[in-house]
Amino acid sequence: MPQFRPPTHRQWRPRSRLASLTRGKHVLVAIALCLTIFYLVSRSGGTSESTLLERHMNSGPPRYPIKVVKSSVDWGNIEYRHPPPTNLAQLPKPPRKGKGNLPRVQHKFKKESAAARATREARRDAVLRLTKKCWDSYRRYAWMQDALLPLSKGGTQQFSGWAATLVDSLDTLWIMGLRDEFDEAVAAVAEIDFGSSTSPLVNIFETNIRYLGGLMAAYDLSGRGVLLQKAVELGDLIYGGFNTMDRMPVDNINFEAAKEGTGLLMEPHVVSASPGTLTLELTRLSQMTGDPKYYDAITGIVDLFYRGQNQTAVPGLFPMFVSMAHLDVTAGNTFTLGGCADSLYEYFPKMHALLLGGHAQIATLTRGFLDAAKRNLFFRPMVPDSTSPEADILISGNLNFDPDGNSRLDPETEHLTCFIGGTFALAGRLFQNEQDVAVGARLARGCVYAYRAFPTGMMPERLNMYRPHLPKGFTTAKDPRYILRPEAIESVFYLWRITGDMEWQEAAWDMFQAVARGTATETGSAAVLDVTEDKPNLPLDDYMESFWIAETLKYFYLVFSSPDLISLDKYVLNTEAHPFLLPQT
């Protein structure tokens, strides 16, 4: 696979316009112009991040030459054993024309004081510095590999060898104004060969959320045509994952079988999040390209979950494992919003937003899961300071059924489950139910509480808490790691943008200081093996997941940026925090 190699130094890059003004009078003119601009900006209170974003989108050609290498397999021209239907489902139309298809989601923020702005921007810049450090280390030690090994200063392949961290980080670089780094990364993306894989099996879920989501979001932000071109190449590969008898997706695409179009082997059972988390990206790809085939592919998934929603042991919710091979999303005894199921539910309200409220089944799925989760999964744990406002929290547990059909709530939760606060708040606004916004706040506050409760200021990967009928406190930290996960700050971001309450910015700053300190290495950040003991040097794992830059640091940055940057009324973010533009009506 041809690979773009970064330069060892930066002197060769085109010189700036100001640097080319070598004559004295031109320098004076340029200085005067800069002083004038500085004066005007300072008088106007500064330039918002949204204005900077617009300037980036119209700031001229990329600084790096683009050499597009078409993938060695033309996934769009594979002859399938199980071809798609001739009459493809079309994207639904919004329920009414013009503006107002969706209610306002984001809080109407008032102008902040100079002191508040200075504090916010200082915090934002701290996030930027850490992101830059991590990206520079990836660029130096793991370029074009999937992930950085921050302790051994190397790289590793994890997801087919298509530079997962690079693709996953594209929109973060753009949002943070790292234009030079973005341009260099785009030039490298242009040479990725999606016809060659380091693994014989391509995981459809991870490929979809990290790679396809990353490419499309970066295209939505920058308008760079090469990103859409590569997104279509990859989208056609994912589309090939539906080459099965019932046109349902496999969990892992056999790369060689997919090339031949001979049909794929369906797994007997898969986690429910795997098929359920293909909907947003493939819908957006149809919106971008005008080709309905991608959206058509996911309509079967939506219809299957819709028909089964009230046939499960917990009507409204789906079991952790489902069977695409047997078209069964109802049989199962474990129900959770955590790992294996999380983004299935996350995508219900986000699909509602992306389709501008134009899909009745999606609306029903969303409302059904919200009501069922409130009735069956959420509990208020016993905590020592139960009378304080900060302790007005909810935790999402797991519901298990025994062979006799008796249910038991397991008060175990995961960091992965922390997304649910933001999802409830978002759905509450989309469906104009402020009670659900309040429930989302209590859920997000529960994860913030877990961060603050441990001596390192970081929440463990998995823990248990007492329900009210037992003594106060935590019972276990079954998995004491912090692996750079974003879900807690994700919910804090949504609650900040939706409510405007300052408690969320303060919580975000506490969390950022803790994770930045606890994960710090010479080359960036590494996962922590045990957050339950406060030691001078925490034990670290030699790994930096691509979602650290793509999600965690991006959410921290957005909390401390102008609310106009990636507004929740203009974008919907996928489960990897990649922002997709809402279509214009």
Side-chain angles (χ1 to χ4, degrees):
M1 177 173 71
Q3 291 189 353
F4 179 90
R5 299 294 180 185
T8 56
H9 53 79
R10 299 177 181 255
Q11 282 81 356
W12 71 275
R13 299 178 184 176
R15 302 177 69 192
S16 68
R17 183 173 300 173
L18 180 59
S20 67
L21 299 176
T22 55
R23 298 183 182 275
K25 63 179 183 180
H26 289 169
V27 173
L28 292 176
V29 170
I31 292 173
L33 179 61
C34 289
L35 290 173
T36 301
I37 292 173
F38 176 79
Y39 172 78
L40 292 174
V41 170
S42 63
R43 285 290 303 274
S44 65
T47 305
S48 71
E49 286 91 338
S50 60
T51 302
L52 290 173
L53 194 64
E54 292 299 320
R55 288 180 180 176
H56 276 312
M57 294 180 69
N58 299 283
S59 57
R63 295 175 171 85
Y64 284 79
I66 302 294
K67 179 185 177 183
V68 180
V69 176
K70 190 173 181 179
S71 292
S72 55
V73 175
D74 186 353
W75 296 108
N77 283 313
I78 299 295
E79 292 188 11
Y80 299 130
R81 172 176 292 180
H82 306 288
T86 54
N87 296 322
L88 299 178
Q90 303 295 309
L91 288 163
K93 295 181 180 180
R96 55 183 180 271
K97 295 181 180 180
K99 297 181 178 180
N101 285 294
L102 297 175
R104 182 183 178 92
V105 171
Q106 189 157 291
H107 177 75
K108 292 183 178 180
F109 288 89
K110 298 179 181 179
K111 185 177 180 179
E112 60 189 336
S113 67
R117 176 176 175 175
T119 298
R120 175 180 63 79
E121 291 184 345
R123 294 173 174 181
R124 178 200 65 194
D125 291 346
V127 180
L128 176 62
R129 287 192 296 272
L130 179 55
T131 306
K132 184 75 163 54
K133 177 182 178 182
C134 292
W135 175 258
D136 287 347
S137 294
Y138 169 78
R139 180 182 181 277
R140 180 176 180 182
Y141 299 112
W143 187 252
M144 297 303 290
Q145 297 189 66
D146 285 342
L148 171 70
L149 303 176
L151 301 182
S152 57
K153 298 181 180 179
T156 187
Q157 304 293 24
Q158 182 186 19
F159 300 115
S160 302
W162 296 325
T165 293
L166 186 147
V167 178
D168 221 2
S169 302
L170 285 170
D171 53 0
T172 299
L173 299 176
W174 182 273
I175 288 168
M176 293 189 183
L178 298 172
R179 171 66 187 277
D180 204 48
E181 289 81 354
F182 176 83
D183 286 347
E184 183 180 38
V186 170
V189 166
E191 298 189 26
I192 294 176
D193 181 6
F194 292 123
S196 175
S197 173
T198 57
S199 172
L201 296 178
V202 174
N203 184 270
I204 200 169
F205 171 86
E206 301 290 356
T207 302
N208 179 65
I209 65 170
R210 302 194 196 215
Y211 287 116
L212 183 59
L215 291 168
M216 291 195 300
Y219 173 74
D220 262 343
L221 291 170
S222 69
R224 296 288 177 77
V226 63
L227 296 172
L228 181 57
Q229 179 178 339
K230 301 305 284 189
V232 169
E233 290 180 10
L234 188 58
D236 285 338
L237 167 59
I238 293 173
Y239 186 75
F242 289 77
N243 182 18
T244 62
M245 182 177 297
D246 293 305
R247 299 296 300 168
M248 288 293 167
V250 296
D251 195 41
N252 290 288
I253 301 173
N254 183 303
F255 207 66
E256 293 305 314
K259 289 179 182 180
E260 300 299 324
T262 55
L264 301 174
L265 180 64
M266 295 286 291
E267 300 87 353
H269 292 89
V270 298
V271 299
S272 57
S274 180
T277 314
L278 300 176
T279 55
L280 199 73
E281 290 79 6
L282 293 181
T283 297
R284 182 62 188 140
L285 190 56
S286 278
Q287 291 176 341
M288 284 179 164
T289 63
D291 188 340
K293 73 176 187 180
Y294 309 107
Y295 173 74
D296 174 83
I298 61 93
T299 57
I301 299 173
V302 173
D303 187 60
L304 180 62
F305 278 103
Y306 174 76
R307 287 186 282 110
Q309 186 173 32
N310 293 320
Q311 309 301 317
T312 71
V314 186
L317 299 178
F318 299 95
M320 180 186 294
F321 291 94
V322 296
S323 177
M324 295 292 101
H326 300 107
L327 301 180
D328 182 4
V329 296
T330 63
N333 298 320
T334 300
F335 296 81
T336 181
L337 300 181
C340 301
D342 45 3
S343 46
L344 165 69
Y345 300 104
E346 177 188 353
Y347 272 23
F348 289 156
K350 291 184 175 182
M351 277 289 287
H352 180 78
L354 186 64
L355 294 172
L356 302 180
H359 199 302
Q361 289 182 335
I362 295 293
T364 299
L365 284 164
T366 306
R367 290 192 174 101
F369 118 74
L370 294 171
D371 292 341
K374 285 184 290 188
R375 290 194 308 268
N376 296 282
L377 298 181
F378 301 159
F379 67 94
R380 182 175 182 179
M382 292 293 287
V383 290
D385 51 348
S386 58
T387 60
S388 69
E390 292 78 11
D392 183 18
I393 64 177
L394 288 175
I395 295 295
S396 182
N398 306 322
L399 192 65
N400 300 311
F401 285 81
D402 64 23
D404 295 326
N406 301 309
S407 64
R408 180 182 65 85
L409 181 65
D410 179 4
E412 174 186 286
T413 196
E414 302 173 79
H415 198 289
L416 279 165
T417 316
C418 286
F419 83 96
I420 192 58
T423 294
F424 249 78
L426 175 63
R429 278 292 161 86
L430 287 171
F431 290 92
Q432 298 180 293
N433 186 336
E434 289 302 304
Q435 289 184 340
D436 283 344
V437 176
V439 169
R442 295 177 70 195
L443 288 162
R445 205 173 286 125
C447 291
V448 172
Y449 185 94
Y451 266 73
R452 289 172 170 165
F454 287 86
T456 55
M458 291 179 282
M459 177 182 174
E461 178 77 353
R462 182 178 285 107
L463 55 82
N464 280 62
M465 298 189 76
Y466 278 120
R467 297 180 66 191
H469 67 286
L470 294 172
K472 301 176 182 180
F474 295 87
T475 61
T476 68
K478 290 181 178 178
D479 187 342
R481 297 175 300 157
Y482 172 70
I483 62 172
L484 310 176
R485 285 207 187 275
E487 291 79 17
I489 185 58
E490 172 185 349
S491 282
V492 169
F493 160 75
Y494 275 100
L495 267 298
W496 162 243
R497 288 293 191 87
I498 289 171
T499 70
D501 292 339
M502 287 299 298
E503 72 166 287
W504 303 111
Q505 274 202 338
E506 294 307 311
W509 183 237
D510 289 347
M511 293 163 65
F512 176 74
Q513 292 182 95
V515 300
R517 178 177 61 250
T519 66
T521 74
E522 179 186 351
T523 58
S525 300
V528 180
L529 293 174
D530 189 346
V531 302
T532 63
E533 296 185 30
D534 192 9
K535 301 177 180 178
N537 296 303
L538 293 174
L540 300 176
D541 188 15
D542 190 15
Y543 201 77
M544 189 184 83
E545 277 273 10
S546 71
F547 56 61
W548 173 243
I549 296 178
E551 296 187 75
T552 311
L553 292 176
K554 181 192 297 169
Y555 279 127
F556 278 119
Y557 186 86
L558 288 174
V559 170
F560 301 122
S561 297
S562 164
D564 293 330
L565 185 62
I566 314 299
S567 166
L568 294 181
D569 292 308
K570 295 181 180 180
Y571 293 88
V572 59
L573 284 76
N574 87 335
T575 194
E576 196 78 1
H578 296 310
F580 302 154
L581 270 171
L582 295 176
Q584 301 298 309
T585 58

